[in-house]
Structures are given as C-alpha cells and as structure tokens.
Amino acid sequence: TTEFPQKETSPFRPQSPYGIAKVFADQICRNYRDSYGMFICSGILFNHESPRRGENFVTRKITLGIANILAGKQKKIYLGNLSAKRDWGYAPEYAEAMWRMLQHEKPDDYVVATGETHSVQEFLEEAFRLVGLNWRDHVEIKSELFRPSEIDILQGDNTKARIQLGWEPKVKFKDIVRILLEEDCKKVGVSLTGEPLQKKEIVFGKPVTACHMCKGKNLSLVLDLGHHPHSDDFMESERLQKEEHAFPLRLVSCDDCGLLQIDYLVNPDI
C-alpha cells in the first residue's frame, strides 16, 4: 500500500508470494465471518520480534552475527537493503493483542503495530553500539541479498486496537534490539563485552503455577500426554529419557480467562 501509516482499511498490495497468501488468509477470514456469522478475527500484525525469530530473518541475522563476531566465530555479516524501514514490535506483546481480540464482544480486524518505523541501518547501529563496535567494519552489502520487489516502509496505525482492546506496546525499539542481542550472546557464550560466560547448570524445566496470560492460579487439567524428553532428535530423545530428563506434557485450562496452555515451562536454552 502507498498509505502511511497503514490501518485496517488500507488497501493491500503484497510484494511477494508470502504476502499474497497472507492477503488470501485475511479475505477468507472476513468471508466466513460475514457469510456464516463465525467469530473470526483477523490480526494484521506488523513485524514482531523475539529470540525465537528464525536466524535467516534480518534482525536475528544481525544479532547472532554480532554474537559470533564477539566470540571470534565470524568476521562479517552480509546484508542487502539497509534503507528498508519496518515497524518492529515485541512478539509476546503481540500474542497478548491476539488474545484480547478473542475476548472482545464481537469479532473484528485489528492492526497490531507500534506506530514507529526504523530502518535496517538503525537496527544495525543500535546493535553494534551496544557492543562498542563500528558496524561499518563488520558489515558487507551484497546485491544478491536485495529483494526483487521491496517494500520501502511499513508503519502501522494501532489506534483501533488501543481504543477497542485497551492494548498498546510497551517494549520499545531499542529494548527489542537489546533483548535479541543479549539472548544471542548468551546462546553463543559471550557477554556484550565479548567476555566468555560461565556455564550454568542446566535446568530442564518447571511446572507452571499461574496462567501465562492473566496470571490466575486456578488451572484445570484438560489432557495428560505423559512424559516426553526435551529433544526433536529420536536418538537424543532416547538418551535424555534414560537420563531422566523427560518432562510431563499436560494441557491445562485457566479457570479465570479460559486460556489453554502447556503445564510445563521448558528451559529455552537447551
């Protein structure tokens, strides 16, 4: 779209097969809601980041690259268009916005965004500033990494979500950069100053004592799936199971807000 900032009524103009598929999903949601009276909300979520973001996305490519540079495992970060601007938010807050949509009295469509826009170069500058390095010494631009059809700027208008859902982002742009960078440094085993981190004893997980969303403590068991090792690899799973590192996998429901959730917090570092 050529409208800035973008809101729920802004016309879609997708620039990739992925974007086209998202527009189809949005339209099919509206069609079923209007035709059959189904409670379906379409969340128009702008870029939302967390340490779980894939490593091939530019934000993680930068923060993980810096962590590897500090650890001496990498010399350069290769990037494309640094001028592209995005509205970056914090994924856990966007998950809360989705939950709030489903608690609203009637289904509707909502833009979930911060209302701010920052360039890839701004993200670079802030991330490298946090570790005291000049990004120009460690970043190389490659023409093959430029998209064939680029969206120059994305900036969302979250007015409707703020007024109707009472939602607003609290984690700011610089906070997001720091969160991603600190987690990637921890993953690689270095601090922001490049010093090696001491290895801590692995804690595989702990039971949930309160609802992830409303913090209520009344949780009811819905489904017990037994014990499972924390691994995606079969042989690794077998080893962990023998070492008694398996954890209970149970689905519970919060009696206060109705949220379904897993009744076990697994350490994301393992």
Side-chain angles (χ1 to χ4, degrees):
T1 180
T2 55
E3 185 177 306
F4 303 101
Q6 293 99 24
K7 50 192 176 185
E8 292 79 8
T9 56
S10 298
F12 290 115
R13 192 180 176 187
Q15 299 294 303
S16 68
Y18 173 76
I20 293 169
K22 298 285 276 188
V23 172
F24 170 79
D26 175 79
Q27 294 299 313
I28 202 70
C29 284
R30 298 184 191 205
N31 177 258
Y32 271 77
R33 182 177 65 211
D34 296 342
S35 300
Y36 302 105
M38 299 176 70
F39 194 105
I40 300 175
C41 298
S42 180
I44 306 167
L45 276 59
F46 282 62
N47 298 63
H48 40 292
E49 310 297 318
S50 85
R52 295 189 177 190
R53 171 67 100 174
E55 295 176 8
N56 58 321
F57 286 82
V58 68
T59 48
R60 287 292 313 288
K61 193 173 182 180
I62 291 170
T63 56
L64 184 57
I66 291 174
N68 284 327
I69 289 170
L70 292 174
K73 298 179 179 180
Q74 185 174 331
K75 291 184 178 180
K76 293 283 186 178
I77 300 173
Y78 300 99
L79 299 173
N81 183 12
L82 301 187
S83 299
K85 290 187 173 184
R86 295 292 180 264
D87 187 328
W88 278 301
Y90 190 44
E93 292 186 334
Y94 283 40
E96 179 193 350
M98 290 187 280
W99 176 81
R100 285 177 180 258
M101 291 177 206
L102 299 178
Q103 312 312 308
H104 198 53
E105 58 187 11
K106 67 175 185 176
D108 209 340
D109 307 319
Y110 297 93
V111 163
V112 181
T114 68
E116 297 181 7
T117 186
H118 298 273
S119 67
V120 175
Q121 181 168 325
E122 287 179 77
F123 194 101
L124 264 180
E125 291 171 348
E126 178 60 19
F128 273 93
R129 184 192 69 79
L130 290 170
V131 297
L133 296 175
N134 186 338
W135 69 268
R136 297 180 186 279
D137 297 331
H138 302 280
V139 174
E140 188 173 320
I141 306 302
K142 290 205 166 189
S143 58
E144 59 265 32
L145 294 178
F146 280 70
R147 290 177 173 175
S149 181
E150 180 66 276
I151 301 172
D152 294 327
I153 178 171
L154 286 175
Q155 182 180 11
D157 181 350
N158 62 23
T159 302
K160 185 175 177 181
R162 282 191 292 106
I163 293 174
Q164 294 189 12
L165 305 179
W167 177 88
E168 61 179 321
K170 298 180 179 62
V171 180
K172 303 300 183 182
F173 172 72
K174 290 186 177 182
D175 300 325
I176 295 169
V177 178
R178 176 177 283 277
I179 289 169
L180 267 60
L181 183 57
E182 286 180 342
E183 286 299 317
D184 276 329
C185 283
K186 188 188 298 181
K187 178 180 180 180
V188 172
V190 294
S191 67
L192 294 185
T193 60
E195 297 296 320
L197 296 175
Q198 289 185 340
K199 290 186 177 180
K200 297 181 180 179
E201 180 183 356
I202 294 178
V203 178
F204 274 74
K206 61 182 180 179
V208 170
T209 57
C211 173
H212 293 296
M213 190 62 66
C214 74
K215 309 306 178 185
K217 297 185 180 299
N218 299 314
L219 303 175
S220 298
L221 179 65
V222 175
L223 185 63
D224 191 337
L225 297 173
H227 283 65
H228 296 263
H230 181 68
S231 175
D232 295 326
D233 181 83
F234 175 75
M235 295 303 293
E236 182 73 354
S237 298
E238 194 174 55
R239 180 184 69 79
L240 290 174
Q241 201 160 22
K242 287 179 180 177
E243 295 179 4
E244 299 182 350
H245 289 313
F247 62 91
L249 185 58
R250 294 179 298 183
L251 187 66
V252 297
S253 172
C254 175
D255 296 341
D256 298 321
C257 72
L259 181 72
L260 287 173
Q261 53 208 290
I262 299 298
D263 184 30
Y264 209 73
L265 289 174
V266 177
N267 188 341
D269 295 333
I270 54 177

